[in-house]
Amino acid sequence: MNFKEIFLVLAISVAITITNAEYVSYDQYKVYKIVPSSDTEVQILLDVQKSNQYLFWSDIVAKNSDVRIMVAPAKQVEFEKYFESVNIPMRVVIEDVQKLINEQLQRPATRSAKYEWNYYLSLNEIYAWIDQVVEEHADVATAVTIGNSVEGRPIRGIKIDFKKQVNPIIGMIEGGIHAREWISPATVTYIINEFLTSSDPEVRFMAENIVWHIFPVVNPDGYAYTFSDNRMWRKNRSRFNHTSCAIYGLSDDISNGIDLNRNFGYVWMSIGASDIPCAETFAGHVEFSEPESRAIANYVNTIKNEGRMMYYFAFHSYSQMVLVPYSHVAGANVLEAPNYADMFEIAVRGMDKLKAKHGTEYEVGTSAEILYPVSGSSFDWVKGVAEIPIVYLFELRDVGEFGFLLPPARIIPNNQEIMAGLIEMEKVTRGLGYYDIVSGGERAVASFVLFVLALVAAM
Ligand SMILES: [Zn+2]
């Protein structure tokens, strides 16, 4: 066979694998950790990343950043030899990726009727859970669909409104925009459950005085695909830009899909995003090309007219960080975001309370400062275009020990500390004067005082 024929056979075998919809095996795949310590080392890593021969768990490479690279068994010798030859130290942090995937897919032998966050739910299970929760709390919870995905799946969530006030304070929570970050939907469903069922007075306060719009999986096609086909899938499942990725040594399904968190129309495609369909950070051919990103933006624009929209939280993993907008600015330029100093303080104080729970440390800053510069993300758009005051992107547990493959036993502690952080953040925001929440009794007194004042003025 000549080269062309071999290529064809390879392409066909890849195509067969895809149409058979087998779950991609990561048997014996290793994850390496490399921390580039100079600009030269960064350049070497960037060239390796551009070759697309290996799967980078970290989207972007920067000096002193913790870069995790997943390598197929057949390529491990070549990979290790290359980094030895250029004198860059590396270390294996995960010996067998598939072993961790299997652990994540495990279900407890006996499961209670109610979900207890001791395993990861599939998309259908999350949607069934939403139906169950809405039925049990029909007086305060409503099921909401904000649109459909590329493959026609509904993007579903819950609106929680305890007091049915006119002009309420409003918050929105987004989960699962990146398919493989399974801890994100597991956190967001937990927040819904806490808001509806917790007896903690602080949780009750936050749940009942703010109208919440919460969406555990805004990329339903991608999330379903991580259960059916490929655990490491990140993007949506758009086929618009389908090209062969074989020249990169990647299966062609890699070119399907757009990174929804690079597709939003705020400084779109300016930095930290790719115009190559085979890249994990492919931003799409135009801003808002995807129905999922459009659905989120349209919904934000709708609900912000229904009251005072104060909050937008997006949940990702991993790194243990609270990212403050805007993701493309660092240094003195962070002040481009209105109320940056307040957002920073609110997050730092929130993360103190988060740490008090289980000792977990989160870093706070813009993405460009503490991770890498990025453009076209949902939360930057919410801040920069929708002009919502308090906006964050959370990178949940861990810092790379398991990465995207966080064991089920760590879901609950992760969720508990996030709740502690969120409660404090709401308190600090209120303390800084962003809004006031008055109890029913206080409101009655206030309107009586206004009534008397009006009478006096009329006299
Ligand atoms: Zn993410």
Side-chain angles (χ1 to χ4, degrees):
M1 280 197 287
N2 63 27
F3 177 77
K4 205 174 161 193
E5 282 166 338
I6 292 170
F7 175 82
L8 268 176
V9 168
L10 276 175
I12 289 164
S13 66
V14 165
I16 288 168
T17 315
I18 292 164
T19 48
N20 277 356
E22 280 165 19
Y23 204 44
V24 173
S25 170
Y26 290 98
D27 199 27
Q28 305 296 322
Y29 276 63
K30 284 187 163 81
V31 176
Y32 294 82
K33 171 182 173 167
I34 295 179
V35 181
S37 59
S38 67
D39 292 338
T40 321
E41 292 189 4
V42 168
Q43 197 47 55
I44 289 171
L45 271 169
L46 286 174
D47 291 341
V48 169
Q49 188 182 30
K50 235 179 248 162
S51 81
N52 273 325
Q53 295 294 313
Y54 315 107
L55 252 158
F56 277 58
W57 278 21
S58 329
D59 308 335
I60 288 160
V61 176
K63 202 162 121 182
N64 297 322
S65 68
D66 181 339
V67 181
R68 310 261 160 159
I69 308 166
M70 185 168 74
V71 183
K75 291 178 178 174
Q76 285 159 9
V77 172
E78 163 199 303
F79 178 89
E80 289 181 15
K81 271 195 182 143
Y82 175 71
F83 281 99
E84 274 159 22
S85 74
V86 291
N87 239 326
I88 298 179
M90 82 209 121
R91 188 161 68 81
V92 175
V93 284
I94 296 177
E95 284 287 348
D96 183 356
V97 169
Q98 189 59 42
K99 198 170 151 256
L100 292 183
I101 292 175
N102 294 344
E103 281 172 26
Q104 261 202 332
L105 287 166
Q106 254 168 33
R107 303 296 173 100
T110 49
R111 274 184 273 162
S112 54
K114 281 200 161 104
Y115 178 50
E116 291 176 325
W117 288 270
N118 48 350
Y119 62 99
Y120 290 98
L121 295 179
S122 70
L123 182 73
N124 289 342
E125 287 170 325
I126 289 176
Y127 284 179
W129 180 85
I130 286 177
D131 291 333
Q132 184 192 339
V133 164
V134 167
E135 202 183 303
E136 284 168 8
H137 302 273
D139 48 336
V140 293
T142 327
V144 184
T145 299
I146 61 172
N148 289 314
S149 65
V150 169
E151 292 180 341
R153 290 184 179 82
I155 303 167
R156 300 188 62 204
I158 294 186
K159 176 184 175 185
I160 300 174
D161 184 355
F162 275 84
K163 296 192 170 164
K164 318 278 189 273
Q165 290 174 20
V166 180
N167 200 29
I169 304 298
I170 294 170
M172 179 160 161
I173 299 178
E174 160 213 302
I177 201 168
H178 286 147
R180 64 190 173 190
E181 299 164 7
W182 281 9
I183 186 60
S184 166
T187 303
V188 173
T189 49
Y190 186 87
I191 295 169
I192 292 172
N193 187 60
E194 285 290 295
F195 281 171
L196 290 172
T197 66
S198 170
S199 54
D200 178 323
E202 292 188 307
V203 177
R204 294 264 43 83
F205 186 91
M206 189 172 178
E208 293 177 15
N209 288 296
I210 296 170
V211 174
W212 290 102
H213 301 259
I214 310 183
F215 300 88
V217 190
V218 297
N219 174 13
D221 296 347
Y223 189 70
Y225 196 70
T226 61
F227 279 80
S228 62
D229 287 70
N230 187 344
R231 174 65 189 86
M232 299 315 295
W233 191 257
R234 167 185 166 94
K235 300 182 278 184
N236 78 346
R237 293 295 302 160
S238 165
R239 302 182 71 85
F240 182 81
N241 301 277
H242 189 261
T243 49
S244 173
C245 297
I247 51 160
Y248 300 113
L250 295 170
S251 67
D252 285 349
D253 76 329
I254 293 290
S255 70
N256 289 336
I258 280 127
D259 183 346
L260 295 173
N261 213 38
R262 301 290 184 279
N263 190 239
F264 283 72
Y266 181 69
V267 299
W268 177 80
M269 215 26 232
S270 57
I271 194 165
S274 178
D275 55 4
I276 302 168
C278 295
E280 291 283 20
T281 55
F282 178 45
H285 65 289
V286 64
E287 63 184 37
F288 284 125
S289 58
E290 302 312 295
E292 295 91 346
S293 46
R294 288 197 302 270
I296 295 169
N298 288 339
Y299 194 70
V300 169
N301 282 330
T302 304
I303 61 173
K304 75 175 201 179
N305 295 319
E306 295 172 357
R308 293 178 59 199
M309 187 163 172
M310 192 59 54
Y311 297 106
Y312 190 93
F313 303 140
F315 285 95
H316 291 246
S317 75
Y318 58 94
S319 294
Q320 289 170 205
M321 289 173 177
V322 182
L323 302 183
V324 182
Y326 298 119
S327 302
H328 61 292
V329 293
N333 294 333
V334 297
L335 298 174
E336 272 181 32
N339 74 327
Y340 174 83
D342 284 352
M343 285 191 290
F344 186 82
E345 182 189 343
I346 292 161
V348 166
R349 288 172 60 185
M351 292 311 101
D352 278 351
K353 291 286 182 192
L354 180 147
K355 188 183 170 188
K357 199 83 194 171
H358 298 296
T360 312
E361 295 197 27
Y362 272 63
E363 237 182 301
V364 177
T366 69
S367 188
E369 291 256 291
I370 60 175
L371 203 52
Y372 37 68
V374 160
S375 61
S377 68
S378 64
F379 84 124
D380 281 339
W381 178 87
V382 171
K383 181 68 190 168
V385 180
E387 298 183 323
I388 303 310
I390 309 297
V391 175
Y392 299 106
L393 185 157
F394 291 81
E395 292 279 4
L396 298 164
R397 287 193 187 195
D398 54 17
V399 289
E401 184 188 0
F402 298 100
F404 306 116
L405 307 175
L406 196 71
R410 304 197 184 193
I411 301 174
I412 290 273
N414 169 85
N415 294 355
Q416 288 170 334
E417 67 199 12
I418 282 295
M419 277 315 296
L422 291 179
I423 287 164
E424 182 67 10
M425 290 164 90
E426 190 277 332
K427 238 190 263 177
V428 177
T429 306
R430 212 161 6 101
L432 288 171
Y434 279 82
Y435 56 94
D436 246 342
I437 287 173
V438 287
S439 66
E442 286 170 52
R443 193 175 302 111
V445 172
S447 42
F448 178 73
V449 170
L450 281 177
F451 173 72
V452 172
L453 284 176
L455 272 185
V456 171
M459 280 177 6

